[in-house]
Amino acid sequence: MKLCRYDNNRLGIVEGDEVLDVSKALAVIPRPDWPVAQGDPLIANFKRVIAAAKKLAPRAKKKPLAKVRLRSPVPNPGKIIGAPINYDDHIAESVKDPGIAHDAPTSRRGSATGACSSRRIPP
């Protein structure tokens, strides 16, 4: 099963070239209390959300995958760490400069813009 977040924070199941709207499955996530727990509420309640999504899927409204705007699967990441070794050129660069890149969620300007500020952490 492939889950996606799309359009205006809808939850979907991707099946072939369609997205099944199972957003009502999010209702199983308890309302946050104060102080708010760290982490993503969907991930913390993942088994319950999946079970609810599976029940909703057979009757879910369908949209063509090409007509939806896919969003970041984790809307509020706690930390983003990247190591520049995802392809050969970066591996060669990492031998010269083995630092890592760190992006705090507060450095993001929005997932739709594709722009972010990055800080290098030296080795």
Side-chain angles (χ1 to χ4, degrees):
M1 177 185 302
K2 294 180 185 178
L3 288 182
C4 69
R5 192 170 67 92
Y6 71 98
D7 292 346
N8 192 19
N9 290 310
R10 309 295 297 170
L11 180 68
I13 296 175
V14 178
E15 283 189 353
D17 60 353
E18 293 182 316
V19 175
L20 286 62
D21 187 348
V22 291
S23 299
K24 290 181 181 178
L26 297 172
V28 302
I29 298 174
R31 292 278 175 213
D33 209 355
W34 193 88
V36 177
Q38 287 186 328
D40 187 293
L42 185 139
I43 299 302
N45 296 278
F46 196 69
K47 288 181 180 178
R48 294 173 62 203
V49 172
I50 291 292
K54 285 179 179 178
K55 287 180 184 175
L56 292 166
R59 298 174 308 283
K61 288 184 181 178
K62 297 178 182 181
K63 277 184 128 176
L65 182 58
K67 298 283 185 185
V68 303
R69 183 168 187 185
L70 295 174
R71 302 290 182 169
S72 168
V74 180
N76 300 305
K79 186 184 302 180
I80 301 168
I81 297 177
I85 56 170
N86 58 336
Y87 56 90
D88 290 340
D89 289 346
H90 278 164
I91 293 171
E93 290 170 5
S94 72
V95 171
K96 297 176 197 166
D97 181 11
I100 61 171
H102 172 262
D103 281 347
T106 54
S107 70
R108 297 272 177 213
R109 287 190 262 171
S111 60
T113 65
C116 69
S117 128
S118 211
R119 290 182 285 290
R120 286 256 325 126
I121 300 172

